[in-house]
């Protein structure tokens, strides 16, 4: 008997039960019984050692077949706006006060790209390419915006 890809056979029964939502194919309905994942469609990776299909990086498990996309600042997350790790290579560091990945000092978030942008050399910290929030010890903050 051929079964649907997302169902498994029940002993001594002509019927099939659905796999766990995270599995593409399985041996039973538990989340640890996956035999494959639909990586391209569901944004999941198959881990053969644990027979599970966790979400790939930048996606989180929202209790549905298809993993949901994390906030652009997160490398990994448990909810859309609750990062669990940050991509240091993009200038991101975890900020526990807001649970997302802020830009490192000397960088700012232009809200368009994952990569943090560099502040002007005259700023220690900034909120944009032309607005200093603080200065290096050799400078003073006179005018916060340079036009």
């Amino acid at each position: 008997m051929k079964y649907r890809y997302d169902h498994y056979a029940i002993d001594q029964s002509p019927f099939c039960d659905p796999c766990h939502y995270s599995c593409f194919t399985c041996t039973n309905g538990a989340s640890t019984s996956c035999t494959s994942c639909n990586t391209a469609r569901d944004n999941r990776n198959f881990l053969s050692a644990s027979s599970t299909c966790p979400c790939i990086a930048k996606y989180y498990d929202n209790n549905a077949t298809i993993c949901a996309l994390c906030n652009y600042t997160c490398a990994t997350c448990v909810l859309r706006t609750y990062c669990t790790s940050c991509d240091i290579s993009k200038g991101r560091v975890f900020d526990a006060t807001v649970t997302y990945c802020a830009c490192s000092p000397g960088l700012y978030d232009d809200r368009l790209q994952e990569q943090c942008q560099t502040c002007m050399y005259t700023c220690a910290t900034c909120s944009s390419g032309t607005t200093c929030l603080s200065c290096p010890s050799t400078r003073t903050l006179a005018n916060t915006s340079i036009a």
Side-chain angles (χ1 to χ4, degrees), residues 98-118:
V98 291
T99 66
Y100 71 91
C101 299
C103 292
S104 300
L107 301 173
Y108 70 95
D109 188 343
D110 67 2
R111 302 198 188 308
L112 300 172
Q113 304 172 58
E114 290 177 35
Q115 180 72 45
C116 292
Q117 304 302 306
T118 305

Side-chain angles (χ1 to χ4, degrees), residues 28-48:
N28 66 52
S31 64
T32 56
S33 68
C34 301
T35 54
S36 72
C37 308
N38 188 336
T39 304
R41 182 192 74 191
D42 301 340
N43 302 309
R44 295 183 179 277
N45 276 332
F46 178 63
L47 300 179
S48 58

Side-chain angles (χ1 to χ4, degrees), residues 64-85:
T65 302
I66 299 173
C67 295
L69 186 62
C70 296
N71 179 282
Y72 74 97
T73 68
C74 305
T76 58
C77 67
V78 291
L79 296 170
R80 175 161 169 66
T81 57
Y82 196 102
C83 301
T84 52
S85 68

Side-chain angles (χ1 to χ4, degrees), residues 81-97:
T81 57
Y82 196 102
C83 301
T84 52
S85 68
C86 307
D87 189 342
I88 295 170
S89 71
K90 297 197 182 307
R92 300 277 177 188
V93 292
F94 186 71
D95 184 341
T97 61

Side-chain angles (χ1 to χ4, degrees), residues 120-140:
M120 290 186 340
Y121 73 95
T122 57
C123 304
T125 59
C126 65
S127 60
S128 72
T130 59
T131 305
C132 295
L133 297 174
S134 66
C135 299
S137 59
T138 57
R139 295 183 176 268
T140 57

Side-chain angles (χ1 to χ4, degrees), residues 3-4 6-10 13 15-20 26 28-29:
Y3 305 105
R4 278 186 43 178
D6 58 352
H7 285 68
Y8 65 95
I10 304 170
S13 170
F15 302 104
C16 296
D17 268 357
C19 294
H20 184 266
C26 64
N28 66 52

